[in-house]
Amino acid sequence: MILEILDRGSEVRARHRFGPGPLTLGRAYDNDVILDDAYVAPHHARFELTESGWTAVDLGSGNGTYVAGQPDPVQRVQLKDDLQLRIGHTQLRVRAPDHPVAPELIARRPHPLRGMLAFGTVLAAASAVLLLSTYASVRREIEWLALLGSLLLPAMLLLGWIGGWAFASRIFTGRSSILRHAKIALLGVAAAVVANELSGYVLFALSLPGSDTVASLLNAVILAAILYRHLQLVARAAPRRLAMTATVLSACLFGGIWFAGLASRPEYSGKLRYVYALKAPYFRLAPAHSVEDFFSHADDIRSELDALRRKD
């Protein structure tokens, strides 16, 4: 039989083959399987071969031995293929020697230029998207040198971001994976730029204020996805834990930015809410207002301001 020690994500951390003699488990150093878990007794359980097959026996531990899906501890339990046990905070699984396994993955021999070509394609696409977005935001005569110079600082920050993740990968996995980190970062930048532009057009078309709030929410989701992909290359942990970590980091960052800008929000600063991103008129879907409506509304505002001034 095979004993598997699992992590919290049910991924296998270690495997031990046992039989035909008994197998002891616990924290003490004279056990066959030593478990570094403070909630496991020094001599917690024993696997022994009986007439009916392999049996797990609790050795009088304080925290007991549990079968997955059962609320009460067990003193003895018959071992069978794919049975999961918990002793202390350690998850165990028993597998038979003939347990079916998935076929091997076919390793593809990487072409020496394949990674560079993919990186170059992503870099060109991200640069084009960022340049077009910057070009579209300019409301005066284009100065190409100044336009390219405005991209220098974001490019340096992006290189620092990629280098930091590559360094972390080198420390924790022995491989920098710099091209993969670069593709993740560049795709994230391109996705953020496209999402911000699309949200601006949608809000302009519907004449809705609050484009900064929508953009922040979109950027938070994109950043969480980027962090998740980076963490997958750096940390060997359960996907759920990586996703939780990425979500919390992104929420903390954008939550801090939101609180920092709270004083400038219209409801606190007294500023008017308006759609500040102007687009071409044919993108507008909201009904237009006549000149008479505009000036009548302006007269109402003027009357309110005059009343407030007289009151002061």
Side-chain angles (χ1 to χ4, degrees), residues 1-3 18 21 23 25 45-50 52-57 65-67 74 76-86 92-96:
M1 299 288 285
I2 309 298
L3 173 65
F18 62 94
L23 180 82
L25 303 91
R46 181 176 65 247
F47 292 177
E48 57 186 28
L49 185 60
T50 63
S52 57
W54 282 100
T55 303
V57 181
T65 300
Y66 291 81
V67 177
V74 295
R76 302 176 66 91
V77 62
Q78 191 79 24
L79 298 181
K80 58 183 179 180
D81 186 41
D82 224 25
L83 177 71
Q84 291 195 30
L85 303 172
R86 179 175 63 82
L92 306 173
R93 182 169 61 200
V94 179
R95 288 277 171 87

Side-chain angles (χ1 to χ4, degrees), residues 28-73:
Y29 290 101
D30 58 350
N31 287 290
D32 298 307
V33 178
I34 302 173
L35 300 174
D36 188 16
D37 182 347
Y39 295 90
V40 171
H43 299 90
H44 197 109
R46 181 176 65 247
F47 292 177
E48 57 186 28
L49 185 60
T50 63
E51 295 181 355
S52 57
W54 282 100
T55 303
V57 181
D58 187 88
L59 300 178
S61 63
N63 289 322
T65 300
Y66 291 81
V67 177
Q70 297 184 13
D72 299 321

Side-chain angles (χ1 to χ4, degrees), residues 161-185:
W161 174 275
I162 295 170
W165 282 108
F167 181 71
S169 290
R170 188 70 176 179
I171 292 177
F172 292 105
T173 66
R175 300 176 58 185
S176 65
S177 303
I178 187 168
L179 291 180
R180 299 179 68 180
H181 283 298
K183 287 189 286 186
I184 293 170

Side-chain angles (χ1 to χ4, degrees), residues 128-213:
V129 169
L130 189 59
L131 185 61
L132 288 174
S133 175
T134 307
Y135 172 79
S137 64
V138 175
R139 300 292 183 262
R140 58 182 183 275
E141 184 179 356
I142 301 298
E143 297 180 3
W144 289 102
L145 289 179
L147 184 63
L148 294 175
S150 65
L151 300 178
L152 183 59
L153 180 59
M156 294 177 63
L157 293 175
L158 186 62
L159 288 175
W161 174 275
I162 295 170
W165 282 108
F167 181 71
S169 290
R170 188 70 176 179
I171 292 177
F172 292 105
T173 66
R175 300 176 58 185
S176 65
S177 303
I178 187 168
L179 291 180
R180 299 179 68 180
H181 283 298
K183 287 189 286 186
I184 293 170
L186 291 171
L187 286 173
V189 169
V193 172
V194 171
N196 290 339
E197 286 295 322
L198 289 178
S199 65
Y201 276 100
V202 171
L203 293 173
F204 173 79
L206 301 177
S207 190
L208 297 175
S211 59
D212 54 343
T213 303

Side-chain angles (χ1 to χ4, degrees), residues 188 191-192 195-196 213-229 243 246-247 249-251 253-254:
N196 290 339
T213 303
V214 175
S216 296
L217 291 175
L218 291 174
N219 289 332
V221 173
I222 293 172
L223 178 61
I226 294 173
L227 290 173
Y228 174 73
R229 292 293 294 140
T247 303
L249 290 175
S250 180
L253 176 61
F254 282 94

